[in-house]
Short mmCIF file of all heavy atoms in Angstrom, two decimals:
data_model
loop_
_atom_site.label_atom_id
_atom_site.label_comp_id
_atom_site.label_asym_id
_atom_site.label_seq_id
_atom_site.Cartn_x
_atom_site.Cartn_y
_atom_site.Cartn_z
N GLY A 279 -29.26 -62.56 -4.46
CA GLY A 279 -30.05 -63.42 -3.63
C GLY A 279 -30.86 -62.40 -2.72
O GLY A 279 -30.64 -61.26 -2.55
N THR A 280 -32.04 -62.94 -2.27
CA THR A 280 -33.00 -62.24 -1.41
C THR A 280 -33.19 -62.89 -0.15
O THR A 280 -33.18 -64.09 -0.10
CB THR A 280 -34.28 -61.99 -2.22
OG1 THR A 280 -34.94 -63.30 -2.44
CG2 THR A 280 -34.12 -61.37 -3.53
N SER A 281 -33.33 -62.17 0.94
CA SER A 281 -33.63 -62.66 2.24
C SER A 281 -35.08 -63.22 2.34
O SER A 281 -35.31 -64.11 3.08
CB SER A 281 -33.37 -61.65 3.32
OG SER A 281 -31.99 -61.15 3.21
N ARG A 282 -35.94 -62.56 1.59
CA ARG A 282 -37.35 -63.01 1.58
C ARG A 282 -37.79 -63.29 0.18
O ARG A 282 -37.29 -62.67 -0.71
CB ARG A 282 -38.25 -61.99 2.30
CG ARG A 282 -37.96 -61.77 3.75
CD ARG A 282 -38.91 -60.76 4.33
NE ARG A 282 -38.66 -60.60 5.82
CZ ARG A 282 -39.47 -59.91 6.55
NH1 ARG A 282 -40.51 -59.30 6.04
NH2 ARG A 282 -39.21 -59.85 7.84
N PRO A 283 -38.82 -64.04 -0.11
CA PRO A 283 -39.39 -64.18 -1.53
C PRO A 283 -39.81 -62.80 -1.95
O PRO A 283 -40.39 -62.04 -1.29
CB PRO A 283 -40.57 -65.05 -1.34
CG PRO A 283 -40.24 -65.88 -0.09
CD PRO A 283 -39.55 -64.89 0.88
N LEU A 284 -39.43 -62.48 -3.28
CA LEU A 284 -39.53 -61.15 -3.79
C LEU A 284 -40.08 -61.27 -5.31
O LEU A 284 -39.67 -62.15 -5.97
CB LEU A 284 -38.18 -60.44 -3.79
CG LEU A 284 -38.07 -58.97 -4.26
CD1 LEU A 284 -38.78 -58.12 -3.30
CD2 LEU A 284 -36.56 -58.56 -4.41
N ARG A 285 -40.94 -60.33 -5.56
CA ARG A 285 -41.47 -60.35 -6.99
C ARG A 285 -41.83 -58.95 -7.39
O ARG A 285 -42.34 -58.73 -8.43
CB ARG A 285 -42.68 -61.33 -7.14
CG ARG A 285 -43.82 -61.05 -6.33
CD ARG A 285 -44.77 -62.11 -6.43
NE ARG A 285 -46.04 -61.90 -5.75
CZ ARG A 285 -46.93 -62.95 -5.44
NH1 ARG A 285 -46.65 -64.14 -5.75
NH2 ARG A 285 -48.16 -62.66 -4.86
N GLU A 286 -41.57 -57.93 -6.66
CA GLU A 286 -41.82 -56.60 -7.04
C GLU A 286 -40.71 -56.06 -8.00
O GLU A 286 -39.53 -56.11 -7.61
CB GLU A 286 -41.82 -55.63 -5.80
CG GLU A 286 -42.15 -54.25 -6.10
CD GLU A 286 -43.55 -54.08 -6.71
OE1 GLU A 286 -44.45 -54.83 -6.33
OE2 GLU A 286 -43.56 -53.18 -7.61
N PRO A 287 -41.10 -55.68 -9.28
CA PRO A 287 -40.14 -55.27 -10.15
C PRO A 287 -39.20 -54.07 -9.80
O PRO A 287 -37.87 -54.15 -9.99
CB PRO A 287 -41.01 -54.86 -11.38
CG PRO A 287 -42.31 -55.51 -11.29
CD PRO A 287 -42.57 -55.64 -9.80
N LEU A 288 -39.66 -53.15 -9.01
CA LEU A 288 -38.82 -52.00 -8.58
C LEU A 288 -37.72 -52.52 -7.65
O LEU A 288 -36.65 -52.08 -7.72
CB LEU A 288 -39.75 -50.92 -7.94
CG LEU A 288 -38.93 -49.72 -7.52
CD1 LEU A 288 -38.16 -49.06 -8.61
CD2 LEU A 288 -39.85 -48.70 -6.84
N LEU A 289 -38.09 -53.37 -6.68
CA LEU A 289 -37.17 -53.86 -5.83
C LEU A 289 -36.03 -54.82 -6.50
O LEU A 289 -34.99 -54.76 -6.14
CB LEU A 289 -37.85 -54.74 -4.76
CG LEU A 289 -38.92 -53.89 -3.93
CD1 LEU A 289 -39.49 -54.78 -2.76
CD2 LEU A 289 -38.31 -52.56 -3.35
N ILE A 290 -36.53 -55.51 -7.46
CA ILE A 290 -35.52 -56.33 -8.22
C ILE A 290 -34.63 -55.48 -8.94
O ILE A 290 -33.31 -55.64 -9.03
CB ILE A 290 -36.32 -57.37 -9.14
CG1 ILE A 290 -37.12 -58.31 -8.34
CG2 ILE A 290 -35.36 -58.01 -10.10
CD1 ILE A 290 -37.94 -59.21 -9.11
N GLN A 291 -35.05 -54.35 -9.54
CA GLN A 291 -34.25 -53.45 -10.23
C GLN A 291 -33.23 -52.82 -9.23
O GLN A 291 -31.99 -52.64 -9.65
CB GLN A 291 -35.06 -52.40 -10.94
CG GLN A 291 -34.15 -51.34 -11.63
CD GLN A 291 -35.02 -50.16 -12.18
OE1 GLN A 291 -36.23 -50.07 -11.84
NE2 GLN A 291 -34.45 -49.37 -12.92
N ARG A 292 -33.60 -52.49 -8.12
CA ARG A 292 -32.68 -51.87 -7.14
C ARG A 292 -31.61 -52.89 -6.75
O ARG A 292 -30.47 -52.49 -6.51
CB ARG A 292 -33.49 -51.51 -5.92
CG ARG A 292 -34.38 -50.31 -6.05
CD ARG A 292 -35.20 -49.98 -4.75
NE ARG A 292 -35.96 -48.86 -4.98
CZ ARG A 292 -36.94 -48.43 -4.10
NH1 ARG A 292 -36.95 -49.06 -2.90
NH2 ARG A 292 -37.68 -47.41 -4.29
N LEU A 293 -31.93 -54.24 -6.57
CA LEU A 293 -30.89 -55.16 -6.29
C LEU A 293 -29.89 -55.24 -7.39
O LEU A 293 -28.61 -55.25 -7.14
CB LEU A 293 -31.57 -56.54 -6.04
CG LEU A 293 -32.32 -56.67 -4.78
CD1 LEU A 293 -32.86 -58.06 -4.66
CD2 LEU A 293 -31.55 -56.25 -3.50
N PHE A 294 -30.37 -55.35 -8.62
CA PHE A 294 -29.43 -55.41 -9.77
C PHE A 294 -28.62 -54.17 -9.97
O PHE A 294 -27.50 -54.10 -10.52
CB PHE A 294 -30.13 -55.85 -11.02
CG PHE A 294 -30.32 -57.34 -11.06
CD1 PHE A 294 -31.59 -57.91 -10.84
CD2 PHE A 294 -29.28 -58.16 -11.38
CE1 PHE A 294 -31.72 -59.31 -10.87
CE2 PHE A 294 -29.42 -59.51 -11.45
CZ PHE A 294 -30.70 -60.09 -11.20
N HIS A 295 -29.22 -53.01 -9.57
CA HIS A 295 -28.54 -51.72 -9.66
C HIS A 295 -27.32 -51.80 -8.78
O HIS A 295 -26.14 -51.39 -9.11
CB HIS A 295 -29.45 -50.58 -9.27
CG HIS A 295 -28.68 -49.23 -9.00
ND1 HIS A 295 -28.31 -48.48 -10.02
CD2 HIS A 295 -28.35 -48.63 -7.83
CE1 HIS A 295 -27.64 -47.40 -9.54
NE2 HIS A 295 -27.70 -47.52 -8.21
N GLU A 296 -27.39 -52.32 -7.57
CA GLU A 296 -26.29 -52.46 -6.69
C GLU A 296 -25.27 -53.43 -7.16
O GLU A 296 -23.97 -53.16 -7.09
CB GLU A 296 -26.75 -52.86 -5.19
CG GLU A 296 -27.75 -51.92 -4.66
CD GLU A 296 -27.24 -50.57 -4.30
OE1 GLU A 296 -25.99 -50.42 -4.25
OE2 GLU A 296 -28.02 -49.64 -3.96
N ARG A 297 -25.76 -54.52 -7.65
CA ARG A 297 -24.84 -55.56 -8.21
C ARG A 297 -24.09 -55.03 -9.34
O ARG A 297 -22.83 -55.23 -9.59
CB ARG A 297 -25.59 -56.74 -8.61
CG ARG A 297 -24.67 -57.98 -8.73
CD ARG A 297 -23.91 -58.29 -7.55
NE ARG A 297 -23.01 -59.47 -7.73
CZ ARG A 297 -21.82 -59.48 -7.06
NH1 ARG A 297 -21.49 -58.61 -6.24
NH2 ARG A 297 -21.04 -60.49 -7.33
N LEU A 298 -24.80 -54.27 -10.32
CA LEU A 298 -24.12 -53.87 -11.50
C LEU A 298 -23.11 -52.74 -11.13
O LEU A 298 -22.04 -52.61 -11.79
CB LEU A 298 -25.13 -53.31 -12.58
CG LEU A 298 -26.02 -54.32 -13.20
CD1 LEU A 298 -27.13 -53.67 -13.96
CD2 LEU A 298 -25.13 -55.18 -14.17
N ALA A 299 -23.42 -51.93 -10.14
CA ALA A 299 -22.42 -50.91 -9.74
C ALA A 299 -21.21 -51.53 -9.12
O ALA A 299 -20.12 -50.99 -9.32
CB ALA A 299 -23.18 -50.03 -8.66
N ALA A 300 -21.43 -52.68 -8.42
CA ALA A 300 -20.15 -53.35 -7.89
C ALA A 300 -19.36 -54.02 -8.99
O ALA A 300 -18.12 -54.11 -8.79
CB ALA A 300 -20.63 -54.36 -6.83
N LEU A 301 -20.00 -54.44 -9.97
CA LEU A 301 -19.24 -55.17 -11.13
C LEU A 301 -18.90 -54.33 -12.29
O LEU A 301 -18.66 -54.91 -13.39
CB LEU A 301 -20.05 -56.39 -11.53
CG LEU A 301 -20.32 -57.42 -10.38
CD1 LEU A 301 -21.26 -58.61 -10.96
CD2 LEU A 301 -19.00 -58.01 -9.88
N GLU A 302 -19.14 -53.07 -12.13
CA GLU A 302 -19.04 -52.09 -13.38
C GLU A 302 -17.60 -52.34 -14.04
O GLU A 302 -17.60 -52.29 -15.30
CB GLU A 302 -19.20 -50.65 -12.94
CG GLU A 302 -19.26 -49.72 -14.11
CD GLU A 302 -19.51 -48.30 -13.64
OE1 GLU A 302 -19.76 -48.06 -12.44
OE2 GLU A 302 -19.61 -47.45 -14.44
N GLN A 303 -16.56 -52.47 -13.23
CA GLN A 303 -15.20 -52.57 -13.86
C GLN A 303 -15.04 -53.95 -14.46
O GLN A 303 -14.06 -54.17 -15.23
CB GLN A 303 -14.19 -52.29 -12.77
CG GLN A 303 -14.35 -50.88 -12.13
CD GLN A 303 -14.06 -49.75 -13.17
OE1 GLN A 303 -13.43 -49.91 -14.15
NE2 GLN A 303 -14.90 -48.69 -12.90
N ASP A 304 -15.83 -54.99 -13.99
CA ASP A 304 -15.64 -56.37 -14.54
C ASP A 304 -16.47 -56.76 -15.71
O ASP A 304 -16.15 -57.71 -16.42
CB ASP A 304 -15.89 -57.29 -13.33
CG ASP A 304 -14.95 -57.06 -12.15
OD1 ASP A 304 -13.89 -56.65 -12.32
OD2 ASP A 304 -15.35 -57.33 -11.09
N ILE A 305 -17.49 -55.97 -16.01
CA ILE A 305 -18.33 -56.31 -17.12
C ILE A 305 -17.90 -55.44 -18.38
O ILE A 305 -17.95 -54.24 -18.25
CB ILE A 305 -19.87 -55.95 -16.78
CG1 ILE A 305 -20.27 -56.79 -15.57
CG2 ILE A 305 -20.74 -56.18 -17.99
CD1 ILE A 305 -21.69 -56.53 -15.11
N ASP A 306 -17.55 -56.17 -19.35
CA ASP A 306 -17.10 -55.56 -20.63
C ASP A 306 -18.19 -55.67 -21.63
O ASP A 306 -18.57 -56.79 -22.04
CB ASP A 306 -15.80 -56.17 -21.13
CG ASP A 306 -15.30 -55.44 -22.32
OD1 ASP A 306 -15.79 -54.45 -22.76
OD2 ASP A 306 -14.31 -56.08 -22.97
N ALA A 307 -18.87 -54.50 -22.01
CA ALA A 307 -19.95 -54.61 -22.95
C ALA A 307 -19.43 -54.81 -24.37
O ALA A 307 -20.26 -55.32 -25.15
CB ALA A 307 -20.78 -53.29 -22.78
N GLY A 308 -18.30 -54.57 -24.70
CA GLY A 308 -17.75 -54.78 -26.04
C GLY A 308 -18.56 -53.95 -27.04
O GLY A 308 -18.80 -52.64 -26.86
N TYR A 309 -19.10 -54.70 -28.02
CA TYR A 309 -20.04 -54.06 -28.97
C TYR A 309 -21.47 -53.98 -28.66
O TYR A 309 -22.27 -53.69 -29.41
CB TYR A 309 -19.74 -54.72 -30.33
CG TYR A 309 -18.39 -54.45 -30.97
CD1 TYR A 309 -17.50 -55.52 -30.93
CD2 TYR A 309 -18.07 -53.31 -31.53
CE1 TYR A 309 -16.18 -55.41 -31.48
CE2 TYR A 309 -16.78 -53.18 -32.16
CZ TYR A 309 -15.85 -54.13 -32.03
OH TYR A 309 -14.62 -53.98 -32.60
N GLY A 310 -21.74 -54.39 -27.42
CA GLY A 310 -23.15 -54.40 -26.84
C GLY A 310 -23.64 -55.89 -26.62
O GLY A 310 -23.13 -56.88 -27.14
N PHE A 311 -24.68 -55.80 -25.91
CA PHE A 311 -25.46 -56.98 -25.59
C PHE A 311 -26.76 -57.04 -26.47
O PHE A 311 -27.55 -56.07 -26.46
CB PHE A 311 -25.84 -57.11 -24.12
CG PHE A 311 -24.69 -57.01 -23.29
CD1 PHE A 311 -24.43 -55.76 -22.42
CD2 PHE A 311 -23.79 -58.04 -23.01
CE1 PHE A 311 -23.28 -55.78 -21.65
CE2 PHE A 311 -22.71 -58.01 -22.17
CZ PHE A 311 -22.48 -56.82 -21.54
N ASP A 312 -26.97 -58.14 -27.20
CA ASP A 312 -28.08 -58.20 -28.03
C ASP A 312 -29.20 -59.10 -27.49
O ASP A 312 -30.24 -59.34 -28.08
CB ASP A 312 -27.77 -58.73 -29.50
CG ASP A 312 -27.14 -60.08 -29.45
OD1 ASP A 312 -26.76 -60.55 -28.41
OD2 ASP A 312 -27.05 -60.70 -30.51
N LEU A 313 -29.02 -59.73 -26.38
CA LEU A 313 -30.04 -60.60 -25.66
C LEU A 313 -29.76 -60.48 -24.17
O LEU A 313 -28.64 -60.65 -23.59
CB LEU A 313 -29.79 -62.04 -26.06
CG LEU A 313 -30.62 -63.04 -25.38
CD1 LEU A 313 -32.18 -62.82 -25.53
CD2 LEU A 313 -30.34 -64.60 -25.83
N VAL A 314 -30.84 -60.16 -23.50
CA VAL A 314 -30.84 -60.01 -22.01
C VAL A 314 -31.96 -61.02 -21.50
O VAL A 314 -32.99 -60.90 -21.88
CB VAL A 314 -31.13 -58.54 -21.59
CG1 VAL A 314 -31.21 -58.43 -20.09
CG2 VAL A 314 -30.15 -57.59 -22.23
N ARG A 315 -31.47 -61.72 -20.46
CA ARG A 315 -32.39 -62.79 -19.89
C ARG A 315 -32.41 -62.67 -18.40
O ARG A 315 -31.39 -62.49 -17.79
CB ARG A 315 -31.95 -64.14 -20.30
CG ARG A 315 -32.83 -65.25 -19.70
CD ARG A 315 -32.36 -66.66 -20.07
NE ARG A 315 -32.39 -66.86 -21.49
CZ ARG A 315 -31.71 -67.72 -22.17
NH1 ARG A 315 -30.95 -68.60 -21.49
NH2 ARG A 315 -31.83 -67.92 -23.41
N LEU A 316 -33.59 -62.67 -17.74
CA LEU A 316 -33.71 -62.72 -16.31
C LEU A 316 -34.38 -64.00 -15.91
O LEU A 316 -35.47 -64.35 -16.41
CB LEU A 316 -34.62 -61.53 -15.88
CG LEU A 316 -34.75 -61.34 -14.39
CD1 LEU A 316 -33.44 -61.08 -13.68
CD2 LEU A 316 -35.80 -60.28 -14.09
N SER A 317 -33.68 -64.71 -14.99
CA SER A 317 -34.15 -66.09 -14.66
C SER A 317 -34.27 -66.14 -13.14
O SER A 317 -33.52 -65.45 -12.33
CB SER A 317 -33.09 -67.12 -15.05
OG SER A 317 -32.96 -67.11 -16.50
N VAL A 318 -35.21 -66.94 -12.71
CA VAL A 318 -35.47 -67.27 -11.32
C VAL A 318 -34.80 -68.54 -11.13
O VAL A 318 -35.25 -69.65 -11.46
CB VAL A 318 -36.93 -67.31 -10.91
CG1 VAL A 318 -37.15 -67.73 -9.42
CG2 VAL A 318 -37.57 -65.95 -11.24
N LEU A 319 -33.62 -68.59 -10.32
CA LEU A 319 -32.94 -69.80 -10.07
C LEU A 319 -33.56 -70.60 -8.92
O LEU A 319 -33.55 -71.87 -8.83
CB LEU A 319 -31.48 -69.60 -9.79
CG LEU A 319 -30.65 -68.83 -10.85
CD1 LEU A 319 -29.22 -68.80 -10.45
CD2 LEU A 319 -30.85 -69.55 -12.16
N SER A 320 -34.10 -69.95 -7.85
CA SER A 320 -34.80 -70.65 -6.76
C SER A 320 -35.97 -69.71 -6.34
O SER A 320 -35.89 -68.44 -6.35
CB SER A 320 -33.86 -70.89 -5.68
OG SER A 320 -33.30 -69.76 -5.14
N ALA A 321 -37.08 -70.28 -5.98
CA ALA A 321 -38.23 -69.56 -5.54
C ALA A 321 -38.73 -70.19 -4.25
O ALA A 321 -38.43 -71.36 -3.89
CB ALA A 321 -39.33 -69.59 -6.62
#
Side-chain angles (χ1 to χ4, degrees):
T280 64
S281 304
R282 297 184 176 186
L284 187 67
R285 60 189 185 197
E286 182 60 37
L288 179 59
L289 301 183
I290 294 176
Q291 180 188 7
R292 289 178 180 175
L293 290 182
F294 278 104
H295 168 77
E296 303 292 346
R297 192 64 184 146
L298 289 170
L301 300 175
E302 185 176 2
Q303 303 298 329
D304 299 330
I305 298 178
D306 183 9
Y309 293 102
F311 304 104
D312 63 344
L313 174 61
V314 179
R315 177 183 300 162
L316 183 63
S317 302
V318 177
L319 300 183
S320 63

